[in-house]
Amino acid sequence: MAGSRPAPARGERIALALGAGGARGLAQIGVIEVLEERGFQVAAISGTSSGALVGGIHAAGRLREFDAGIQAMSRRDFLRLLDPAIGRGGMLRGNRLVDAMREVVGDPLIEDLRIPFTAVAVDLVRHREVWLQRGRLWDALRASFAIPGVFLPHVVNGRELVDGGLLAPLPIAATRLSQADRLVAVDMHALPLRPPAGPAPSAAATDVPAAHNGTPRRGRWRRRAGAGMGLVELMSRSLDTMQGQTARIQLAMDPPELVIRIPREVCQFYEFWRARELIEVGREAATLALDEAGY
């Protein structure tokens, strides 16, 4: 209940668990902005997939530069960075995309970052999570967001690794070892906002003006009446279904002190060119969660 907990002391240390969610992971930039505006000090970060991308860049101290760059990208700019991997174990190599981000962020080692950082990936041969806490940052990030079937697996220390969201869409366990005062998790799989009552929406995306389960008053309901799913939407919804269920289990088994929830339907997983809008979604979600928790 709002007001039942004291506001954080200036500089109170928190550990952040940043979840997987494709493009909507960019909302976590807005979450970090609000947390720091409220006086929290980020003392440790773990991240999976796009959560690893945002968390690793913040740990390197380059989130502001990355934020400016991604907000300036158009849909065409983003599509130009995709390098097809025809006839291999994924649709995209991901090298061109990583190279573009490396130009902004640099190429640091994880152990040299200003904030302790863990990127979570999955070893498909050993069927286990892999916590990447040393070595080149971009090797760890590239492995953590290697969505099977979309990006090629990435080799780190002789192991072919893929997206950490397969086993840990919300990497709470990887953050528990920190000495922070509170653990804050960002769940990227909050229940969808309900479509408005009345006539079915048109083929265009329709804004939904109602909140649901404490999520911010923003969202898109993209389904067309009577329309079937294409391949990309089918892959996206299948991955979201699996990750959402796993994230709910993780939250039930190991609840953090605070959960900030991002509605899973705010964008398609590939719509990174909607960064400005998604960052604002994150700001709204963080503000709502902190206000309701009395922080």
Side-chain angles (χ1 to χ4, degrees):
M1 176 179 292
S4 62
R5 302 183 189 182
R10 191 69 182 172
E12 181 175 327
R13 293 161 56 84
I14 61 171
L16 273 180
L18 301 181
R24 69 180 178 275
L26 297 177
Q28 295 173 117
I29 296 174
V31 169
I32 292 172
E33 290 174 351
V34 170
L35 288 170
E36 292 191 330
E37 289 167 7
R38 293 288 183 104
F40 291 101
Q41 177 187 344
V42 179
I45 304 171
S46 65
T48 293
S49 197
S50 55
L53 178 67
V54 170
I57 292 173
H58 183 56
R62 304 291 292 181
L63 191 60
R64 180 172 298 178
E65 293 81 358
F66 175 76
D67 182 1
I70 196 86
Q71 289 199 45
M73 285 183 65
S74 67
R75 184 177 186 272
R76 178 175 295 181
D77 294 333
F78 178 74
L79 293 177
R80 284 174 177 168
L81 295 177
L82 303 182
D83 41 2
I86 305 300
R88 303 183 65 185
M91 293 188 292
L92 304 170
R93 291 185 178 87
N95 297 338
R96 207 179 291 168
L97 190 61
V98 167
D99 288 345
M101 292 187 288
R102 186 187 285 117
E103 289 182 7
V104 176
V105 178
D107 196 14
L109 297 175
I110 295 175
E111 54 266 37
D112 294 337
L113 300 180
R114 66 187 185 95
I115 299 173
F117 173 68
T118 302
V120 179
V122 168
D123 184 332
L124 288 179
V125 174
R126 295 174 175 83
H127 298 187
R128 59 188 292 183
E129 290 180 41
V130 178
W131 295 359
L132 299 169
Q133 299 173 315
R134 300 185 64 82
R136 295 175 61 193
L137 174 64
W138 285 107
D139 278 338
L141 300 186
R142 174 64 182 78
S144 186
F145 69 67
I147 302 171
V150 178
F151 290 103
L152 296 177
H154 193 65
V155 178
V156 180
N157 299 327
R159 293 180 292 183
E160 282 195 332
L161 304 180
V162 297
D163 195 303
L166 294 182
L167 294 179
L170 191 55
I172 295 172
T175 322
R176 283 295 188 193
L177 299 178
S178 73
Q179 299 301 310
D181 301 312
R182 304 174 196 260
L183 174 59
V184 177
V186 186
D187 177 18
M188 307 304 298
H189 298 87
L191 293 175
L193 302 180
R194 297 189 185 280
S202 67
T206 303
D207 287 331
V208 179
H212 179 61
N213 279 5
T215 54
R217 296 178 179 271
R218 178 183 292 255
R220 303 278 183 179
W221 187 46
R222 293 184 168 272
R223 296 288 290 137
R224 300 181 185 184
M229 294 185 191
L231 176 60
V232 173
E233 185 180 4
L234 180 61
M235 291 177 60
S236 174
R237 287 180 179 268
S238 297
L239 191 63
D240 271 347
T241 299
M242 178 189 70
Q243 290 183 350
Q245 179 67 12
T246 304
R248 285 189 287 274
I249 293 171
Q250 290 177 305
L251 288 168
M253 293 180 63
D254 190 7
E257 282 74 25
L258 178 67
V259 182
I260 297 171
R261 303 182 188 277
I262 308 296
R264 66 185 180 220
E265 91 292 358
V266 293
C267 71
Q268 299 281 6
F269 80 94
Y270 52 82
E271 293 181 312
F272 285 89
W273 54 86
R274 292 174 59 191
R276 186 182 304 275
E277 175 187 352
L278 294 168
I279 291 167
E280 184 59 28
V281 168
R283 291 189 61 88
E284 291 180 8
T287 299
L288 177 63
L290 290 168
D291 287 349
E292 288 186 345
Y295 292 139

